[in-house]
Amino acid sequence: MNEHVRHDLVDADVAGIMIPTWIDGALQPYDKLSAHREGLRHKAVSVFVVAGDAVLLQQRAAHKYHTPGLWANACCTHPEWAEDSETCAVRRLQQELGITGLAPQHRGQVEYRADVGGGLIEHEVVEVFVADAPATLSVTPNPDEAMAIRWLQADQLEHEIAQHPDRFTPWLRIYLAEHHAMIFGDKVA
């Protein structure tokens, strides 16, 4: 079994979830699992939470249907059909990490395609947000989403990814390698 896919939980984890997906050039609701199995281009939202030079990471829950136990940025998700990206970002910060009161700022759009194991492909058009947080931010991970959190200085994160890329999600590696300046600007070096 591929270490990055929980085959026993794939169907239950995403059953019935419809995400905005491009089919024959038109955006329409499509089954989340099918979109990943077929590698279809779909909408996504990714949120980075930063406090000074530190970046909040979450370790994906062990039962997630792909990339369980890998470290990712604060929130990576798919908007519900007809949900705007900013609303999705705020909703998922609260649902995944218990974070409220932040105002995520849109930083741009990233498109990537990555194999996440087990025959699943993320082909995402991602609206990327950054939320500035106080050092005293209260974070309460939802155990269904994240098994741990940690704050890392940006340079330490880059060092850890270089030393142990297999501990991090493909999208986090892509974001830092290819879109660092767009996401962080001058804030995090």
Side-chain angles (χ1 to χ4, degrees):
M1 175 164 65
N2 182 308
E3 66 183 272
H4 298 296
V5 177
R6 289 288 310 271
H7 297 282
D8 56 329
L9 296 174
V10 167
D11 293 323
D13 194 37
V14 295
I17 298 173
M18 304 299 280
I19 62 172
T21 304
W22 282 271
I23 307 294
D24 297 325
L27 195 60
Q28 56 189 284
Y30 200 76
D31 177 72
K32 179 179 176 179
L33 183 56
S34 296
H36 291 100
R37 284 183 172 152
E38 298 170 37
L40 298 177
R41 188 171 177 249
H42 56 274
K43 284 188 168 188
V45 171
S46 208
V47 183
F48 287 81
V49 174
V50 295
D53 290 337
V55 180
L56 177 64
L57 301 178
Q58 69 155 280
Q59 187 177 25
R60 291 170 56 82
H63 68 270
K64 297 297 279 186
Y65 75 104
H66 71 69
T67 58
L70 297 186
W71 289 95
N73 51 297
C75 183
C76 312
T77 190
H78 303 90
E80 296 174 355
W81 179 251
E83 180 181 37
D84 72 83
S85 297
E86 184 175 353
T87 299
C88 177
V90 170
R91 175 178 59 83
R92 292 303 290 169
L93 280 174
Q94 193 281 322
Q95 290 175 339
E96 292 187 29
L97 299 171
I99 295 174
T100 60
L102 297 185
Q105 300 298 306
H106 186 255
R107 290 293 173 92
Q109 189 179 80
V110 170
E111 183 170 346
Y112 73 89
R113 184 177 174 91
D115 183 339
V116 293
L120 301 177
I121 302 290
E122 287 281 19
H123 184 179
E124 297 191 331
V125 178
V126 186
E127 301 302 332
V128 178
F129 291 85
V130 175
D132 289 319
T136 58
L137 180 70
S138 174
V139 182
T140 307
N142 175 345
D144 291 334
E145 298 291 341
M147 55 197 275
I149 61 159
R150 65 182 173 148
W151 292 91
L152 276 182
Q153 298 296 312
D155 59 347
Q156 181 63 33
L157 174 58
E158 290 175 356
H159 175 76
E160 284 194 28
I161 289 174
Q163 294 297 309
H164 304 286
D166 57 320
R167 295 180 185 171
F168 298 88
T169 60
W171 56 88
L172 182 59
R173 296 189 317 254
I174 290 167
Y175 292 155
L176 290 182
E178 300 175 17
H179 306 286
H180 187 280
M182 190 249 334
I183 295 167
F184 297 111
D186 293 331
K187 183 172 181 63
V188 178

